[in-house]
Amino acid sequence: MKKFSISLRTANLLLFLVLILAVALIGFEQYRFLKRQFTIELEKRIEGNTYQLQDYFQNRLDKLHYVFNKTAQLDLQKLKEAQSYFGTIDKPLEPIRKKLNENVVFGSYDIYLVNLDKVIVRSTYPPDVGMDFKQYDYASRIFDMVRDGVIPYHVSQPYFSSVSKDFRKYFLILSKNGKFFVQISHNYYLLENVKRELAALRERYPHIERIDAIFSSNELINPLEQTYPDKKHVYDYLERDKKKFLRRFADDLGIRMKIDDLMKRRNLVAALFGGKRMRYRIDWQGRRAVVYSVSENVFNDSINKEYIILRTVYDLHGDFAGYRERVARLLTVVGLTFVMIVLILLFIRKFFAQQLERMTEALRHDRDIREESFIVKEFRTVANAINAYRQKLRIKNRELETLSHTDALTGVYNRRYFGKMLEKCIYEFHRYGKPFVLVIFDIDDFKAINDEFGHDVGDEVLREMCRIVEHEIRKSDMLFRVGGEEFALLLVPAEGKSGLRIAEAIRKRVAGQKFLSRFAVTISVGVSGFQTDDSAVSLYRRVDEFLYISKQNGKNRVTGDDTIWE
Ligand code: GH3
Ligand code: MG
Ligand code: MG
């Protein structure tokens, strides 16, 4: 199986992609985490605030409720005193009526219809549950007639109950003929009080942009038809009247969301009143949170439900600025990481991949590596080591080359090298006109020497022979051992004639030598100069033939082109 391999460049690219992907993923995850954290933080805070707000508001309502209950029963004796008191004054009606309209806020009214000493009807307007409808109807019709001026009347200055003047106001309406005496006690708190409550809330929670209070009532949760299913004309009237009051009330308080709007948002209402623990809901509107929360039932009355819905608007621009800063920091970190990855990978590419490639290139072209061109120190060391190794190889190669050209026994060139050099001489003959002569000689009766003195002596003769011949030739001439006791000489440059002369001189010199200081050895020689139409083979064959002739003619002689030498 082929082992897996990958280039540094490809690895670099892959690494780049993987790292970038990783950084992008981590960045994205971090961003999502940040966003989630941020949202949770905000929601927690808003929830906390809403609890506080509700607690506070509930507290205030409980107090109001307590006061209201205490003052709910009207002191009849006080009425009598008032009657006798107001019976004596006669004031212009208009300013008083105006004052009444200004101050009455939607809520419940207790209407007392009094005929001198006797209370005819006590009613609540709108009616209390369980009250006799005829009585109510009677009372309220009289009241309406009084209110609409059908029955001429006086309206008293408001006077206050002895228990609380803040939350309860009484008006006495006296008929002109003195037959009826109508007392209205306004048993809900007045506009000013509500305004004051809201102002206190706003002051207490300055981080809240707005707090609106919406006074809800039966029809919001529990439409009137359901409360009084068989009294259509009553709720028609109430509906009209109540809505009128509610609208005015909302306008006066500067509440933006009107009761009608809220009615349209049944889902919101359902969500608010359907909640288990804390009944609130957050509506995100850009960088604002609008929180609706709902109070307990104000009157703790199973049918006549009065709730207060608080609508709180939180301005969160400041928080979002902090969040943006955190996101910007995250982006900066991601960006910097990205840049660092690019830099590191460029570094690897520049200092490793490219440098390794340069090294390979030098080796491929059999050049030494220029170590000073490397920036990374380790690469210089490697380059240095490679160069040193190349130098060693060169020396070894030269040694090997010499060995491959050399005859081991005698130290002269071998047969293989002879072939090469002959080719070279032929080339230079044709190229430069450099003449040369080939000499071949063979030791005479060498077998006999071996036989007589032994193989070692034979070897020694061969060596001594080479020394003698080398001594006779020039530096440019070459001696080869081409067979067991057969040698070749390339004389360059040399003409045929001078070749013959040299060969003869060698033969003479050998014949005159006492080998191993004991015996004489002779050689037979063939000589010929290279001719223009010669080839290596033709030249060799011719010289070999001359050698053969020398042997035939009695050995120890030279045979060449022109002359046969003794
Ligand atoms: P001729 O005069 O006809 O050349 O006779 P010769 O004895 O030289 O004839 P031949 O060429 O047949 O014999 C050569 C002998 O040289 C045969 C071999 O034993 C011997 N010889 C060849 N190579 C070596 C060598 O390396 N060392 C030694 N000692 N003897 C060798
Ligand atoms: Mg031979
Ligand atoms: Mg021989």
Side-chain angles (χ1 to χ4, degrees):
M1 200 185 89
K2 206 181 157 204
K3 277 257 172 69
F4 174 75
S5 81
I6 188 169
S7 79
L8 206 53
R9 264 173 203 269
T10 315
N12 229 9
L13 189 72
L14 284 178
L15 200 64
F16 175 78
L17 291 176
V18 167
L19 284 178
I20 291 305
L21 201 71
V23 168
L25 273 179
I26 290 171
F28 182 64
E29 266 311 305
Q30 277 293 317
Y31 170 71
R32 280 202 351 190
F33 178 72
L34 214 67
K35 200 171 163 186
R36 206 165 51 233
Q37 285 284 99
F38 177 64
T39 316
I40 288 170
E41 246 169 57
L42 281 185
E43 278 181 355
K44 256 196 196 150
R45 217 182 63 214
I46 288 169
E47 188 183 282
N49 279 333
T50 307
Y51 268 125
Q52 261 188 317
L53 205 64
Q54 268 192 332
D55 280 354
Y56 179 77
F57 212 78
Q58 198 61 50
N59 248 332
R60 305 295 297 177
L61 287 176
D62 287 348
K63 265 184 208 158
L64 292 174
H65 197 202
Y66 175 77
V67 172
F68 163 73
N69 280 336
K70 283 233 161 177
T71 59
Q73 298 304 317
L74 187 68
D75 188 334
L76 199 59
Q77 190 53 41
K78 277 212 163 65
L79 269 180
K80 282 181 188 168
E81 288 166 19
Q83 186 188 11
S84 58
Y85 172 72
F86 283 109
T88 59
I89 53 165
D90 190 7
K91 295 201 168 194
L93 288 178
E94 273 316 303
I96 298 170
R97 190 167 18 192
K98 207 172 151 226
K99 198 151 179 70
L100 179 74
N101 284 338
E102 271 173 11
N103 284 299
V104 171
V105 172
F106 170 77
S108 295
Y109 304 85
D110 278 350
I111 302 166
Y112 294 86
L113 190 59
V114 182
N115 188 354
L116 296 177
D117 298 327
K118 202 171 125 214
V119 175
I120 300 174
V121 165
R122 175 175 175 262
S123 173
T124 303
Y125 178 80
D128 272 324
V129 176
M131 180 204 159
D132 181 78
F133 183 70
K134 262 186 194 155
Q135 283 190 346
Y136 164 76
D137 201 33
Y138 180 56
S140 61
R141 226 177 288 157
I142 292 171
F143 172 74
D144 287 348
M145 275 153 47
V146 171
R147 192 186 60 181
D148 299 339
V150 178
I151 302 171
Y153 63 98
H154 292 293
V155 178
S156 73
Q157 289 281 11
Y159 81 99
F160 303 107
S161 101
S162 55
V163 184
S164 168
K165 62 181 170 126
D166 285 337
F167 306 118
R168 198 173 171 88
K169 245 175 185 177
Y170 300 98
F171 298 90
L172 296 175
I173 300 170
L174 305 170
S175 66
K176 277 272 190 197
N177 60 14
K179 199 173 181 193
F180 296 109
F181 164 87
V182 180
Q183 152 114 15
I184 300 171
S185 72
H186 178 225
N187 63 16
Y188 212 46
Y189 35 106
L190 299 180
L191 187 62
E192 282 72 25
N193 287 81
V194 178
K195 277 183 174 166
R196 208 178 307 143
E197 287 302 319
L198 283 179
L201 272 176
R202 284 175 183 135
E203 203 168 307
R204 194 181 162 95
Y205 301 99
H207 55 280
I208 295 171
E209 195 183 83
R210 289 173 41 140
I211 305 169
D212 291 344
I214 296 166
F215 285 72
S216 129
S217 190
N218 289 342
E219 75 261 36
L220 199 69
I221 323 129
N222 202 6
L224 278 175
E225 306 91 274
Q226 287 170 27
T227 316
Y228 307 107
D230 55 338
K231 294 165 185 163
K232 194 177 180 319
H233 63 287
V234 178
Y235 62 69
D236 278 349
Y237 177 82
L238 292 178
E239 186 98 338
R240 223 182 328 112
D241 216 41
K242 214 167 186 178
K243 273 194 175 165
K244 198 177 79 192
F245 275 119
L246 275 174
R247 218 161 274 135
R248 214 190 78 198
F249 179 65
D251 287 343
D252 285 347
L253 290 173
I255 295 170
R256 288 193 197 154
M257 179 173 277
K258 305 286 164 52
I259 206 80
D260 285 346
D261 300 336
L262 211 55
M263 294 283 278
K264 277 182 210 145
R265 301 187 62 181
R266 290 252 168 224
N267 287 344
L268 171 68
V269 173
L272 283 175
F273 289 95
K276 287 258 157 60
R277 190 164 151 254
M278 189 176 71
R279 299 184 293 193
Y280 78 96
R281 206 179 93 161
I282 301 176
D283 269 8
W284 294 102
Q285 294 178 0
R287 279 156 199 194
R288 281 200 162 75
V290 181
V291 182
Y292 299 95
S293 58
V294 66
S295 72
E296 293 293 318
N297 183 4
V298 177
F299 289 102
N300 285 329
D301 178 332
S302 59
I303 296 185
N304 199 22
K305 294 189 194 313
E306 294 284 346
Y307 295 90
I308 291 175
I309 296 173
L310 283 180
R311 179 177 179 265
T312 335
V313 182
Y314 292 84
D315 182 357
L316 302 169
H317 279 82
D319 299 84
F320 272 93
Y323 170 66
R324 252 212 313 275
E325 206 173 282
R326 274 148 82 187
V327 170
R329 259 207 302 277
L330 175 68
L331 280 180
T332 312
V333 169
V334 168
L336 282 180
T337 312
F338 183 85
V339 170
M340 253 166 63
I341 287 170
V342 170
L343 284 181
I344 287 171
L345 294 179
L346 278 179
F347 178 83
I348 291 176
R349 198 192 132 101
K350 173 102 189 124
F351 291 158
F352 290 84
Q354 283 187 358
Q355 302 230 321
L356 279 177
E357 280 161 13
R358 197 183 304 161
M359 216 178 258
T360 318
E361 196 66 6
L363 289 177
R364 192 174 290 144
H365 291 95
D366 201 16
R367 282 196 313 258
D368 271 357
I369 304 163
R370 291 192 313 119
E371 57 173 291
E372 69 277 4
S373 68
F374 292 102
I375 300 155
V376 178
K377 252 194 177 159
E378 281 77 0
F379 279 128
R380 284 194 186 196
T381 314
V382 170
N384 211 352
I386 289 176
N387 284 346
Y389 184 68
R390 278 171 52 79
Q391 177 64 19
K392 235 188 243 170
L393 264 186
R394 270 198 293 272
I395 292 168
K396 279 271 177 243
N397 272 344
R398 233 172 289 153
E399 276 173 21
L400 275 180
E401 202 176 66
T402 314
L403 272 182
S404 74
H405 291 165
T406 309
D407 173 51
L409 181 68
T410 59
V412 301
Y413 295 128
N414 60 14
R415 182 180 186 94
R416 203 153 60 96
Y417 198 52
F418 168 71
K420 259 193 189 171
M421 286 302 108
L422 179 58
E423 287 300 330
K424 188 180 174 233
C425 287
I426 292 169
Y427 171 77
E428 285 180 355
F429 177 91
H430 291 302
R431 184 82 175 78
Y432 308 113
K434 206 180 193 179
F436 73 96
V437 169
L438 173 64
V439 178
I440 300 175
F441 61 93
D442 183 288
I443 299 175
D444 296 333
D445 305 316
F446 192 60
K447 220 172 169 187
I449 295 169
N450 269 337
D451 291 350
E452 198 176 339
F453 304 106
H455 208 265
D456 287 348
V457 172
D459 284 353
E460 196 49 48
V461 168
L462 288 172
R463 279 194 280 268
E464 201 170 334
M465 177 68 68
C466 288
R467 300 294 88 74
I468 295 163
V469 177
E470 274 177 337
H471 193 259
E472 285 303 305
I473 57 177
R474 298 163 300 177
K475 255 212 151 80
S476 56
D477 299 333
M478 287 171 282
L479 173 60
F480 307 87
R481 185 178 173 215
V482 293
E485 30 75 83
E486 194 173 320
F487 297 88
L489 264 171
L490 279 172
L491 307 174
V492 223
E495 301 289 345
K497 275 221 167 93
S498 67
L500 270 173
R501 200 161 16 84
I502 295 166
E504 177 55 17
I506 290 169
R507 186 201 62 79
K508 250 192 188 153
R509 175 74 184 79
V510 168
Q513 174 79 6
K514 241 192 169 69
F515 282 80
L516 284 89
S517 314
R518 284 152 75 183
F519 51 84
V521 177
T522 59
I523 56 172
S524 297
V525 188
V527 184
S528 186
F530 187 79
Q531 304 300 316
T532 316
D533 52 358
D534 260 335
S535 68
V537 175
S538 71
L539 176 67
Y540 195 89
R541 196 177 291 147
R542 189 161 73 247
V543 179
D544 204 37
E545 266 165 23
F546 285 144
L547 169 62
Y548 181 72
I549 293 167
S550 292
K551 289 277 188 195
Q552 289 297 307
N553 289 342
K555 308 181 182 178
N556 189 22
R557 67 192 60 226
V558 175
T559 309
D561 292 322
D562 305 326
T563 324
I564 300 166
W565 300 67
E566 264 309 305

